[in-house]
Amino acid sequence: MKAMVLRGSRTPFELADVPDPVAGPGEAVARVITCGSGLTIQHAKAGRRQIKFPRIIGHEITGEIVDVGAGVSTLKVGDGVTSFFYLNCGHCRYCLTTLEPLCTNGGGNVGLECDGGYAEYIKLPAHIFIKYPEELDYKAHPAEMGVITDALATPYKVLRRAQVKGGETVAVIGAGGGLGIHQVMMAKWANARVIAVETAADKFDACRKAGADEVVNPRDGGVVEALRDLTHGAGVDVVVDYVSTTATQEAAVRALGQRGRLVILGGAAQPFHVPARDMLTKEQAILGSRYVTRAEILDACDLVARGEVWPLVTVVRPLAEAEAVHDLVERGQVTGRAALRVA
Ligand SMILES: [Zn+2]
């Protein structure tokens, strides 16, 4: 099969012929139609996340099952599928209580610790594939459907993690990024008042179109003051920080109101100081959020099938143009998500 192979970090992709994968016991193989291109996998290409090479990256797939191994009863040839991002074991106490991202026997991530979707075929343990609901027209919109598994499901999960209620104010730091813009969209769907915090002026319109009621540019100075002003001094109910530097997190906690919640996920994950007195007297909370459960992916699929939200994919190029697409991702020039068309 044809595959985009990475031979090392900070090297270009190489379009290569590699052996077709064959499903062993408990495994399945899907023909890849599209695969999303986000910052998570660009981190590996750029050397900011250590992985082993050679590697075929990519996890936000839409595909169709072409081969199932012995003992697989949950999938059949022709099923439309996407992929879970974590290679979770499926049988530890976390997997059994629908907390799969916390799996204690996990094998890493699809497309990072095993080969992924930048190829004509992908082989995975069968339970890692997720069958699309019948209502979802993955054939008509494969790129959009393929990014649900991360770009849309992750913001959906954050709403639950922070218990966002209608009428609350949600600030999204890094709102113009691939996940941030979908967080804006999902928070609006949840009937929150949404404040986008973003430094890239060329993303402001997209933030507003996705549902932001206000846009705050930290380069104008005083993010905390701006968020307090927009809430008449009360502070915001929830801050979702997709950047997670020391500075953004410290600004985020200071912008929280009473019972405010800060959700930390992705980004730089730098250490930061928290004013304990405020946390106590205002009953605030800091929440880590790690990817999603399968149930949350299926919930997000249902929302898309009903037309309540729609994944924002603005760049779709053939697999052969992976290098150019990753250049755009690296430079922050993609609005929403990019994807590669494989078949
Ligand atoms: Zn497990």
Side-chain angles (χ1 to χ4, degrees):
M1 67 172 178
K2 290 227 173 340
M4 266 303 167
V5 179
L6 273 181
R7 304 277 175 204
S9 62
R10 295 181 295 279
T11 60
F13 288 108
E14 183 185 315
L15 189 58
D17 273 309
V18 301
D20 287 356
V22 177
E27 296 176 332
V29 173
R31 180 179 67 90
V32 180
I33 301 171
T34 55
C35 186
S37 306
L39 204 50
T40 306
I41 58 177
Q42 171 57 22
H43 285 325
K45 186 173 190 294
R48 294 185 291 266
R49 170 169 171 165
Q50 301 308 311
I51 61 168
K52 288 190 179 137
F53 297 100
R55 180 62 71 220
I56 299 167
I57 63 172
H59 65 281
E60 291 176 322
I61 63 154
T62 285
E64 284 179 347
I65 297 295
V66 293
D67 186 18
V68 293
V72 176
S73 59
T74 51
L75 293 169
K76 62 181 189 307
V77 170
D79 282 345
V81 292
T82 188
S83 168
F84 198 61
F85 181 37
Y86 281 45
L87 291 162
N88 69 308
C89 76
H91 50 73
C92 72
R93 67 168 62 192
Y94 298 99
C95 287
L96 292 175
T97 51
T98 62
L99 292 169
E100 301 99 319
L102 302 180
C103 175
T104 47
N105 304 315
N109 297 124
V110 171
L112 294 172
E113 276 70 42
C114 74
D115 283 338
Y118 281 16
E120 288 180 286
Y121 298 98
I122 180 173
K123 179 180 80 169
L124 294 170
H127 75 281
I128 300 299
F129 285 111
I130 297 173
K131 198 174 156 184
Y132 281 128
E134 294 292 328
E135 303 75 31
L136 207 62
D137 192 355
Y138 71 88
K139 288 181 184 174
H141 307 281
E144 283 80 3
M145 302 308 109
V147 306
I148 293 173
T149 186
D150 190 354
L152 200 63
T154 297
Y156 173 77
K157 183 260 185 73
V158 166
L159 297 179
R160 295 180 145 199
R161 188 87 180 95
Q163 298 183 310
V164 172
K165 294 178 276 297
E168 288 196 314
T169 300
V170 176
V172 181
I173 299 179
L179 279 154
I181 202 116
H182 288 94
Q183 187 69 65
V184 169
M185 190 189 294
M186 289 303 314
K188 196 67 206 172
W189 169 82
N191 296 315
R193 178 190 182 211
V194 188
I195 304 173
V197 180
E198 175 57 52
T199 54
D202 59 333
K203 300 281 175 67
F204 292 174
D205 278 349
C207 289
R208 288 196 183 92
K209 269 189 203 144
D213 298 289
E214 319 276 353
V215 178
V216 169
N217 185 351
R219 296 215 170 117
D220 295 340
V223 178
V224 177
E225 293 70 23
L227 292 176
R228 291 203 159 273
D229 284 350
L230 288 168
T231 50
H232 307 293
V236 297
D237 297 301
V238 174
V239 180
V240 187
D241 190 351
Y242 281 98
V243 179
S244 294
T245 61
T246 301
T248 62
Q249 292 168 121
E250 289 183 353
V253 288
R254 285 170 51 218
L256 291 178
Q258 303 219 89
R259 283 267 169 148
R261 292 88 78 196
L262 166 62
V263 185
I264 297 164
L265 66 170
Q270 291 172 351
F272 65 106
H273 284 96
V274 173
R277 179 68 60 190
D278 280 354
M279 297 300 293
L280 184 161
T281 57
K282 296 179 182 174
E283 293 202 334
Q284 296 166 333
I286 299 174
L287 302 163
S289 185
R290 188 173 183 185
Y291 190 44
V292 302
T293 66
R294 277 178 178 69
E296 285 157 349
I297 291 174
L298 292 174
D299 286 350
C301 284
D302 286 346
L303 292 181
V304 173
R306 294 201 296 269
E308 296 188 30
V309 290
W310 194 254
L312 182 64
V313 179
T314 59
V315 176
V316 182
R317 304 261 192 94
L319 180 65
E321 294 178 26
E323 193 65 33
V325 169
H326 275 256
D327 278 348
L328 292 175
V329 172
E330 177 68 21
R331 286 184 276 127
Q333 290 179 347
V334 177
T335 299
R337 262 291 193 261
L340 296 174
R341 179 108 201 172
V342 182

